[in-house]
Amino acid sequence: MKQFRMLINAADCTGHIEPEVYGHFAEHLGRCIYQGIYVGTDSPIPNICGIRKDVIEAFRQIRMPVLRWPGGCFADEYHWKDGIGEPAVRRKMINTNWGGVTEDNAFGTHEFMKLCELVGCEPYITGNVGSGTVQELAEWVEYITFDGVSPMADLRRQNGQNEPWKLKYLGIGNENWGCGGNMRPEYYADVYRRYQSFCKNFSGNQLYRIACGPSGSDLHWTEVMMQNLTPAHTDAIALHFYSVPEWNHKGSATEFTEDEYYTLLACANEMETLLRMHTQIMERYDPQNRIALVVDEWGTWYDVEPGTHPGFLYQQNTMRDAITAALNLNLFNRNSRRVKMANLAQAVNVLQALLLTEGEKLVKTPTYHVFDLFKEHQGGDAVYCFMENESLCDEKYVPMLSGSASVKAGVLTLTVSNASLHDEAKIVCDICNLDVSQASARILTQEVHAYNDFDVPDRVTIQPHPAELKDGKLYLTLPPCAVAAVTLQ
Ligand code: AHR
């Protein structure tokens, strides 16, 4: 047992936690869209307009605030007009990034907007800059959002959608330093300026324009973006960072040594340094905080499950993933002054998935349950939260605890994780500037290799947990390998 002191000052707001910090990402990759989300209208799997009912329900339960689509690398080879109109005659294409399989475009703009409507989340569309044209992207925005008479609005009506949709989040390309065109930042900055000029705010719709940001620690990319982009035409730049210690040896999702566990956590914890470094650059150019940092791809990335398609990125999800999810989400909360959105990669059947499906079966992963535990932070004010800590490893910094706190309508939410595999963490937390008389806690805890599968879907689930409040102090003991959420009011 190890003891740690914590201090929360509820009067010291460090940033507003936009709900979009709990965002998600669904790409045309492997079985994420097809089978995972969309099964078609004539499937025996219960669906609404071809979209799985169990998935809609699961997304709603964690209050999914935003969903990014159609990629990823797929976005920069996607031509949206191929995905509208009568499904049977939609043009097919090769999904060159993800297994070279045929994409039949059954799931397109209308299906995506329907999904977002059913889930109650904001759509976030990433436009094709790498292989598309300015006109193509401009017309997509017109098709979705214009309510008057115009070629694209008329086409939308012909396809059965009379009213325009609202579209807030628009990404101008994806990873344009890599799969999105291998551009230099100096070149991309101009391309971005050009593309966004033709994406108009129609019919009361207000676009939030997101530029491609850096890969991991590419500070030069951020510097050049901030030199060349202004708040007049840019709302955010998007960082991508995956927890992968070694790209050539990613390792198994379920079989790993203690040392490999620490190595992965140390890598995940680099997110803190990255947020600090990119934010510092942004502060120099934008001290008024008008351009946000969006982390629009994050998560763990392992070898695919044995016997599955190498291009489909299907991996299991253990308590190790739950611990890394908690670490990242606590970091986003703590950096919520600048970080206004973050999207886990990816929602179903791909990488650090929320949900896994097999035919009609569906499993909620440990990572899903972390999003459930953390959902009360959405829309709250992050408040000062100090905690004593120590490293689990001598060679690299692996924090034993991670935590963050927020206040919403007088209710304090504290989320905290214990990454140790051996020691309990006994936490005594001082709560200042908020009168609280009740504490209740929920916890996710299991052996670190534990996961949910189609035979045992509830091996890892949320349980109630004791939390005691005495003289303005919270007493909480976390077992090894645990993520907890405490509500104080
Ligand atoms: O999420 C998988 C891929 O990772 C995305 O398509 C791409 O943007 C990133 O490299």
Side-chain angles (χ1 to χ4, degrees):
M1 157 100 65
K2 297 204 166 161
Q3 304 216 12
F4 298 90
R5 281 171 299 183
M6 278 183 82
L7 172 78
I8 295 173
N9 182 356
D12 186 356
C13 173
T14 57
H16 182 71
I17 303 173
E18 296 297 340
E20 285 79 353
V21 165
Y22 290 82
H24 294 276
F25 170 35
E27 181 168 11
H28 288 241
L29 192 178
R31 297 187 303 115
C32 182
I33 296 290
Y34 301 112
Q35 300 177 37
I37 293 174
Y38 188 76
V39 287
T41 46
D42 49 13
S43 168
I45 297 172
N47 68 81
I48 303 174
C49 303
I51 301 163
R52 294 178 71 121
K53 279 188 178 174
D54 51 1
V55 168
I56 295 167
E57 194 38 50
F59 286 176
R60 289 182 69 87
Q61 195 189 321
I62 56 167
R63 297 188 209 139
M64 180 179 280
V66 64
L67 187 61
R68 177 173 181 254
W69 172 84
C73 294
F74 181 79
D76 281 284
E77 61 179 15
Y78 179 64
H79 299 285
W80 69 271
K81 285 183 187 165
D82 296 346
I84 56 172
E86 188 50 48
V89 295
R90 291 186 192 175
R91 195 160 167 259
K92 297 182 173 53
M93 64 180 280
I94 313 165
N95 191 334
T96 64
N97 288 288
W98 307 118
V101 296
T102 300
E103 161 67 53
D104 69 4
N105 279 306
F107 188 91
T109 304
H110 291 247
E111 291 76 16
F112 174 63
M113 296 310 263
K114 187 73 192 173
L115 166 65
C116 293
E117 179 198 315
L118 293 167
V119 171
C121 69
E122 291 283 348
Y124 169 7
I125 284 185
T126 300
N128 181 346
V129 167
S131 71
T133 63
V134 176
Q135 182 182 359
E136 187 181 1
L137 185 54
E139 286 186 341
W140 201 2
V141 173
E142 180 187 323
Y143 184 89
I144 293 171
T145 60
F146 187 58
D147 70 355
V149 174
S150 82
M152 291 304 113
D154 292 349
L155 183 59
R156 183 192 69 234
R157 289 188 198 99
Q158 273 171 35
N159 288 328
Q161 179 70 26
N162 280 327
E163 295 302 314
W165 295 281
K166 286 285 180 221
L167 174 67
K168 183 172 178 186
Y169 297 110
L170 180 69
I172 311 288
N174 169 76
E175 296 193 353
N176 302 92
W177 36 259
C179 62
N182 286 302
M183 302 178 199
R184 295 171 305 112
E186 293 78 5
Y187 178 73
Y188 170 76
D190 279 346
V191 169
Y192 169 84
R193 292 170 65 114
R194 177 170 174 233
Y195 271 70
Q196 69 76 33
S197 304
F198 298 92
C199 297
K200 308 285 184 185
N201 288 321
F202 291 120
S203 315
N205 187 68
Q206 188 72 38
L207 293 170
Y208 182 101
R209 297 175 170 91
I210 301 173
C212 167
S215 168
S217 60
D218 186 351
L219 304 183
H220 177 63
W221 187 280
T222 302
E223 187 91 41
V224 175
M225 288 306 117
M226 295 307 291
Q227 275 163 2
N228 289 285
L229 310 185
T230 73
H233 55 232
T234 313
D235 295 290
I237 63 170
L239 163 71
H240 287 189
F241 177 63
Y242 285 93
S243 303
V244 191
E246 273 188 81
W247 284 94
N248 292 332
H249 301 280
K250 299 192 204 75
S252 157
T254 52
E255 288 166 30
F256 49 88
T257 62
E258 193 164 324
D259 195 47
E260 285 167 334
Y261 170 68
Y262 294 136
T263 304
L264 184 86
L265 285 193
C267 176
N269 194 51
E270 280 172 30
M271 181 68 87
E272 178 164 32
T273 312
L274 295 179
L275 295 180
R276 195 175 328 119
M277 290 190 312
H278 291 297
T279 297
Q280 273 171 10
I281 295 172
M282 296 177 81
E283 284 291 327
R284 266 196 280 120
Y285 292 91
D286 174 33
Q288 291 170 310
N289 196 28
R290 291 192 293 167
I291 300 181
L293 185 62
V294 156
V295 187
D296 72 3
E297 286 185 29
W298 68 272
T300 55
W301 191 323
Y302 309 116
D303 290 338
V304 299
E305 289 305 313
T308 65
H309 193 303
F312 284 9
L313 310 188
Y314 177 73
Q315 64 189 42
Q316 248 298 355
N317 192 295
T318 67
M319 273 303 295
R320 173 173 65 162
D321 296 277
I323 296 286
T324 63
L327 178 65
N328 276 289
L329 293 172
N330 281 323
L331 285 172
F332 300 150
N333 288 344
R334 297 175 84 92
N335 286 276
S336 55
R337 180 175 176 271
R338 183 70 74 168
V339 176
K340 296 298 177 192
M341 183 197 287
N343 301 313
L344 176 71
Q346 296 195 6
V348 190
N349 291 333
V350 169
L351 299 176
Q352 190 173 352
L354 291 175
L355 305 173
L356 304 176
T357 68
E358 198 177 81
E360 62 182 5
K361 294 187 194 157
L362 175 136
V363 156
K364 293 174 176 167
T365 66
T367 297
Y368 176 91
H369 293 301
V370 172
F371 275 83
D372 200 6
L373 283 175
F374 277 60
K375 68 186 174 195
E376 293 306 332
H377 283 305
Q378 292 189 27
D381 286 327
V383 293
Y384 177 83
C385 175
F386 164 80
M387 81 194 98
E388 289 180 322
N389 217 335
E390 66 176 49
S391 180
L392 295 171
C393 205
D394 291 338
E395 305 81 58
K396 44 206 170 229
Y397 184 64
V398 182
M400 177 164 162
L401 298 187
S402 89
S404 64
S406 68
V407 177
K408 190 168 57 179
V411 177
L412 177 68
T413 300
L414 165 68
T415 47
V416 57
S417 63
N418 175 13
S420 171
L421 300 183
H422 308 288
D423 292 310
E424 281 186 338
K426 186 172 175 187
I427 296 167
V428 181
C429 179
D430 271 298
I431 296 157
C432 308
N433 294 312
L434 192 72
D435 278 335
V436 288
S437 55
Q438 283 173 35
S440 63
R442 300 194 304 151
I443 199 166
L444 191 72
T445 184
Q446 266 287 358
E447 198 277 323
V448 69
H449 298 91
Y451 57 85
N452 294 330
D453 58 19
F454 300 102
D455 297 328
V456 190
D458 293 328
R459 192 179 284 119
V460 185
T461 52
I462 296 173
Q463 304 294 333
H465 191 68
E468 196 192 343
L469 201 55
K470 216 165 66 189
D471 304 329
K473 285 186 178 20
L474 168 72
Y475 295 83
L476 179 75
T477 301
L478 296 185
C481 196
V483 182
V486 188
T487 305
L488 296 136
Q489 50 197 322

